[in-house]
Amino acid sequence: MRIGILTGGGDCPGLNSTIRSIYYKSKKYGYEVFGFFEGWKGVIENSGRLIELSDVEEIENLGGTILFSSRTNPFKEEKGVEKILDTLNKNKIDALIAIGGDDTLSVAAKLYEEYKVKVVGVPKTMDNDVYGTDYTFGFDSATTISMDALEKLRDTAKAMKRIIILEVMGREAGWVALFTGLAGCADITLIPEEGLNEDEFIKKIKEIFTKKEYAVICVSEGVEIVEKEGVEVDAFGHKLLQEKGVGNFIGKLIKDKLGINTRVAQIGHIQRGGPPTLFDRILTIRLGVKAVEMVKEKEFGRMATLINGKIDSIPLKEVLGKTKRVDKYWIDLKEVFEI
Ligand code: F6P
């Protein structure tokens, strides 16, 4: 048995730990692991190689991915699917484990449904927005970094009597901003699920600043604003939200309306690097092992998942096209800490 693996989409802490976990469990079963480089790009271009023990020993704490990643969409590439089928055949791949977020998994699901490719999905993304799993790995690590950044910004905001805005990643779901704001004690946290009501926001920040003489705001990059034209879009149709710059928009709004001393920090890709946290390491270890078990049991077209703290699996088609967004429970919890 030879299992192909790939890491697709935006990297996040925990990818290497997952690869290691898949390798070790495969070794127990006597399976070979063939790593494709740069996500679906490597499968299209037949670029990859067999993974050895020396590749994965002690990589549990390594950021990035030893397999590299890309946002390649085979369904947008000329003869993309044909090339994938050919590569899998040439390399005698019996099953494929795709480690990725919505986009990577949607390709896996389509390959399974329409072309009978034997795939298993493993959910990863710092955005934590994959439907059907309590948490995706990468989220805890990335959000621990932004929580730390927010606390540091509070020190300087307080010292200089300023309002500081921290813009965090997370795309259309507000999980990263919500957890950063909750754990890092933001005065206001703005998430896409609630949107921005400019008048209410200005009223609130004015009250806070009058009382404390400083404030920290955590804003998710996905909060909708009147944005500038021509923001770049990737192969899956997602806007490059950093370019949109919601943090700067809010900073300017405060300056224009209240004339208060304001600074903006965009944490960006700093959130994506470094070692995974304990939570993410254990999650990747469990998901990697489960994915190989799923291959053994021929549970294809499914995603390994964490549901109510237990490792399980669900059909990929149930995950497709759905985004796990911040719900009322979390919004209510956030409001407890807002003035
Ligand atoms: O999906 C993960 C993510 O980090 C988002 O939070 C962010 O909007 C996006 O990737 C950035 O994409 P890129 O890696 O292409 O800059």
Side-chain angles (χ1 to χ4, degrees):
M1 169 75 81
R2 181 178 282 186
I3 302 179
I5 61 168
L6 63 90
T7 52
D11 59 286
C12 65
L15 286 168
N16 285 325
S17 179
T18 312
I19 296 168
R20 173 177 168 269
S21 172
I22 290 171
Y23 179 87
Y24 273 83
K25 186 64 182 176
S26 298
K27 202 164 174 284
K28 286 269 181 245
Y29 288 154
Y31 298 169
E32 284 180 328
V33 179
F34 188 96
F36 288 105
F37 298 139
E38 294 182 75
W40 293 114
K41 186 167 186 272
V43 197
I44 293 171
E45 295 176 358
N46 192 9
S47 149
R49 68 166 171 82
L50 275 178
I51 295 184
E52 314 276 346
L53 179 62
S54 57
D55 294 318
V56 298
E57 268 175 324
E58 297 170 17
I59 59 165
E60 75 291 344
N61 62 349
L62 201 65
T65 158
I66 59 164
L67 292 177
F68 311 101
S69 192
S70 72
R71 295 194 187 279
T72 307
N73 183 352
F75 292 94
K76 289 259 175 78
E77 301 287 320
E78 211 187 316
K79 298 200 172 144
V81 176
E82 244 175 75
K83 289 178 184 165
I84 283 181
L85 299 178
D86 192 42
T87 300
L88 296 178
N89 203 18
K90 270 188 191 143
N91 293 289
K92 301 189 171 30
I93 304 295
D94 298 299
L96 188 63
I97 299 179
I99 309 164
D102 259 350
D103 298 334
T104 306
L105 297 176
S106 70
V107 172
K110 226 168 155 189
L111 288 174
Y112 173 75
E113 295 292 334
E114 294 175 19
Y115 300 91
K116 304 287 165 251
V117 177
K118 293 172 180 158
V119 293
V120 164
V122 177
K124 72 89 219 183
T125 167
M126 60 157 286
D127 301 343
N128 196 35
D129 61 353
V130 175
Y131 184 83
T133 187
D134 295 349
Y135 289 97
T136 50
F137 73 80
F139 169 68
D140 189 69
S141 308
T143 309
T144 301
I145 295 170
S146 48
M147 175 193 72
D148 184 50
L150 191 75
E151 283 177 352
K152 289 184 168 123
L153 290 173
R154 192 170 58 220
D155 291 345
T156 166
K158 214 168 183 173
M160 302 295 286
K161 298 195 174 178
R162 282 174 173 155
I163 295 176
I164 299 194
I165 297 147
L166 175 65
E167 178 188 320
V168 297
M169 284 186 168
R171 239 176 219 161
E172 291 89 4
W175 296 108
V176 177
L178 177 85
F179 276 47
T180 303
L182 263 179
C185 303
D187 294 290
I188 297 180
T189 301
L190 298 168
I191 57 174
E193 288 82 350
E194 288 187 299
L196 172 70
N197 178 323
E198 291 187 18
D199 294 337
E200 260 178 38
F201 168 74
I202 288 296
K203 191 168 161 261
K204 215 165 162 186
I205 194 66
K206 191 178 170 197
E207 265 173 41
I208 295 168
F209 191 76
T210 308
K211 204 166 139 224
K212 294 171 60 176
E213 295 190 299
Y214 76 94
V216 283
I217 297 169
C218 181
V219 59
S220 168
E221 63 177 0
V223 168
E224 277 206 32
I225 53 170
V226 185
E227 63 190 69
K228 56 184 183 193
E229 306 262 299
V231 173
E232 201 184 315
V233 172
D234 71 18
F236 288 90
H238 303 295
K239 282 183 193 154
L240 189 56
L241 295 172
Q242 269 198 298
E243 215 177 86
K244 181 179 104 177
V246 66
N248 281 321
F249 176 89
I250 287 167
K252 190 167 176 324
L253 186 72
I254 297 172
K255 269 187 207 161
D256 291 350
K257 300 266 180 189
L258 303 172
I260 296 173
N261 200 2
T262 304
R263 294 289 185 271
V264 179
Q266 196 181 46
I267 192 163
H269 294 78
I270 294 170
Q271 285 197 275
R272 295 241 298 254
T277 54
L278 171 71
F279 178 86
D280 276 341
R281 284 186 208 194
I282 299 298
L283 182 56
T284 54
I285 284 169
R286 297 175 79 193
L287 289 175
V289 165
K290 175 69 178 175
V292 180
E293 287 170 355
M294 287 164 70
V295 169
K296 186 165 187 274
E297 298 306 320
K298 300 189 171 41
E299 292 177 25
F300 298 119
R302 300 178 74 86
M303 178 183 90
T305 183
L306 179 75
I307 296 185
N308 299 327
K310 291 208 167 68
I311 298 294
D312 206 330
S313 78
I314 58 165
L316 277 165
K317 64 175 180 220
E318 278 184 29
V319 174
L320 277 191
K322 296 180 193 152
T323 303
K324 188 181 69 185
R325 307 195 85 203
V326 172
D327 57 28
K328 190 173 176 309
Y329 164 77
W330 291 103
I331 291 175
D332 289 347
L333 191 66
K334 176 169 87 76
E335 276 169 10
V336 173
F337 300 92
E338 287 177 354
I339 301 174

